[in-house]
Amino acid sequence: MDAIDVSALRKRFGATIAVDGIDFRVPPGAIVGLLGANGAGKTTTLALLLGLITADSGSVRVLGHDMARDRFAALQQINFSSPYVALPYRLTVAENLRVYGHLYSVRGLEARIRELAETFALAPLLDRPVGQLSAGQKARVALAKALVNRPALLLLDEPTASLDPDTADRLRAWLLRYRAETGAAILLASHNMTEVERLCDDVLVMRAGRLVDRGSPAALIARYGLADLEAVFLDIARGRPEIAA
Ligand code: ATP
C-alpha cells in the first residue's frame, strides 16, 4: 500500500490554477522531494494531501484512505511541519507538545515529550512560550510537534529553512534514522538542493502547477547531463522543455 497515491489532482484559486492535474505515488518508506520555483504549487499540494483545502477534482489516497471520504482515519497516522502554520504562541513548548499529543491520543505522552526534547535539544526551552523563541528554535519545536504521534507519513514544508547549518545537518541525519527505524514515508518540499540530494530517493519537479519531471536525484542529473541537482532545478525552472522520462 502506497503512503500517498494522487491522481489527476487539481486546485484553482480564482484565476490561478495552483495544481493542474498531477499524478504521483510515494511508496512506504520512501523520502520524496517536492521541488519547484516559488508559486509552483508545492504548498498547495501539501495542503491538499492534509485535507486542509478541498480539491476541485482528482483523488488523494493517504495510507490507503480516500481523503475525500475517510480523512480522519488517515490524519491519525500523518503529521506535518510548515513555517506557514504557527503554533499557539502563548503556550509553552511543553504545553504545545502536550496539546498536540492529546489530539493524536499519544500513549506515554510525557516520555515521548522527553524523548523529543532530547532529540531536538529542547529541554532548556520547554517552559518558554513559543512566541518568545527564535525562528530556528520555533522550527525545532514544529518538528518535535510533527513527530509527536510517530507518523507513518510525514509532510514537511521547508523543514530546515531557518536552521543553522549544524542544526540542519543533525535534523537531516535524524530524519534518515527515523525512516530507517520506523519505515515511515516522508514528502518534503525544499529549495535546498544539497539537502534534497542527501535525503531523497526520488524527486517530483513542479512548474506552474504541473509535474514536469521526476526521478532519483542521480537519474535526473545524468539525464540532463548537468553537474548537480541545483543545475537541473535551474534548467527546469527557467523553462527548458521537459525531457521525456
Ligand atoms: P513557494 O516556493 O513560494 O512556497 P509554492 O510552490 O509552495 O511556492 P503555492 O503556495 O502552492 O506555491 O502557490 C501556488 C500558486 O497558487 C501561486 O500562484 C499562489 O499565488 C497561488 N495561491 C496559493 N494559495 C492561494 C490562496 N489561498 N488564494 C489565492 N491564490 C493562492
Side-chain angles (χ1 to χ4, degrees):
M1 182 182 62
D2 286 318
I4 301 174
D5 186 351
V6 161
S7 176
L9 191 64
R10 190 177 296 267
K11 177 69 183 177
R12 172 197 285 268
F13 296 106
T16 305
I17 301 176
V19 172
D20 192 6
I22 61 172
D23 299 87
F24 67 90
R25 296 185 309 119
V26 174
I31 303 184
V32 174
L34 191 55
L35 315 186
N38 292 137
K42 305 177 300 292
T43 301
T44 305
T45 301
L46 294 180
L48 288 165
L49 288 172
L50 283 162
L52 297 176
I53 54 175
T54 316
D56 297 329
S57 56
S59 73
V60 177
R61 290 186 79 78
V62 170
L63 300 164
H65 302 281
D66 180 342
M67 290 301 275
R69 280 182 299 173
D70 199 12
R71 177 169 166 240
F72 289 99
L75 286 178
Q76 283 299 315
Q77 301 171 71
I78 63 185
N79 210 325
F80 78 104
S81 132
S82 164
Y84 311 114
V85 180
L87 296 170
Y89 65 95
R90 288 209 185 100
L91 298 186
T92 65
V93 172
E95 286 166 347
N96 260 283
L97 294 176
R98 258 178 225 123
V99 166
Y100 284 99
H102 284 304
L103 282 179
Y104 286 101
S105 309
V106 173
R107 288 202 207 111
L109 181 57
E110 291 306 314
R112 181 67 179 151
I113 291 173
R114 281 196 296 277
E115 206 171 70
L116 291 166
E118 192 178 328
T119 303
F120 294 104
L122 293 174
L125 306 177
L126 281 174
D127 295 325
R128 289 188 47 196
V130 163
Q132 291 179 7
L133 302 180
S134 77
Q137 290 168 337
K138 279 187 194 132
R140 274 153 47 209
V141 177
L143 282 158
K145 169 258 158 192
L147 290 153
V148 74
N149 61 327
R150 299 181 182 85
L153 171 63
L154 189 54
L155 304 176
L156 301 175
D157 200 354
E158 294 287 334
T160 59
S162 54
L163 299 180
D164 66 69
D166 176 48
T167 309
D169 188 63
R170 285 168 199 261
L171 177 90
R172 288 178 202 121
W174 195 88
L175 287 175
L176 287 168
R177 205 166 65 234
Y178 181 71
R179 184 264 295 268
E181 284 171 6
T182 64
I186 302 174
L187 180 66
L188 126 139
S190 177
H191 291 301
N192 181 331
M193 295 304 125
T194 314
E195 165 168 297
V196 169
E197 277 189 59
R198 172 159 175 214
L199 286 181
C200 296
D201 308 305
D202 272 304
V203 299
L204 304 163
V205 189
M206 292 189 81
R207 189 173 66 209
R210 295 178 179 223
L211 274 174
V212 293
D213 216 333
R214 62 185 84 199
S216 70
L220 282 175
I221 292 164
R223 188 142 45 80
Y224 280 73
L226 293 168
D228 53 28
L229 201 58
E230 180 107 11
V232 172
F233 180 93
L234 290 173
D235 215 47
I236 295 175
R238 289 173 184 172
R240 174 165 144 167
E242 295 106 69
I243 296 177

